[in-house]
Amino acid sequence: MVVSDKSLVLLSRSFVNFKSLVLVSCEWFTTDGLAVIAANCRSLRELDLQQNEVDDDNGQWLSCFPESCTSLVSLNTCETCGKIS
């Protein structure tokens, strides 16, 4: 499935309180899109990125989760292609 950074931005702005995002076997999004999800979705409990092709644009997307964010319980990057810093 094709998922763009633009789609991730729209998702993060439209559904700021969602708790789970699962992307399996997707392509065309980058760590910039993941950074927006991390920064805007403060209720996110699960981020599952299995078997995706992710382009690493900035390398610092995990640091976009707010320091006070304690809601993230599960982060899965199993079999994800591309560099995940």
Side-chain angles (χ1 to χ4, degrees):
M1 176 185 291
V2 173
V3 175
S4 68
D5 286 344
K6 194 175 193 178
S7 297
L8 293 176
V9 169
L10 178 63
L11 179 72
S12 75
R13 290 183 179 156
S14 300
F15 303 101
V16 295
N17 292 319
F18 75 91
K19 299 190 183 331
S20 179
L21 177 61
V22 178
L23 299 172
V24 178
S25 299
C26 298
E27 58 186 357
W28 286 43
F29 65 95
T30 70
T31 54
D32 288 344
L34 294 176
V36 171
I37 292 289
N40 293 342
C41 301
R42 296 178 182 249
S43 298
L44 192 65
R45 295 185 54 78
E46 174 188 20
L47 181 56
D48 192 340
L49 304 171
Q50 292 185 56
Q51 303 171 350
N52 294 294
E53 291 187 32
V54 180
D55 291 327
D56 189 0
D57 284 349
N58 65 20
Q60 301 298 320
W61 70 277
L62 283 173
S63 66
C64 293
F65 281 102
E67 285 189 34
S68 62
C69 179
T70 58
S71 63
L72 190 65
V73 175
S74 175
L75 173 63
N76 183 3
T77 60
C78 181
E79 297 181 34
T80 295
C81 297
K83 183 180 177 183
I84 302 288
S85 299

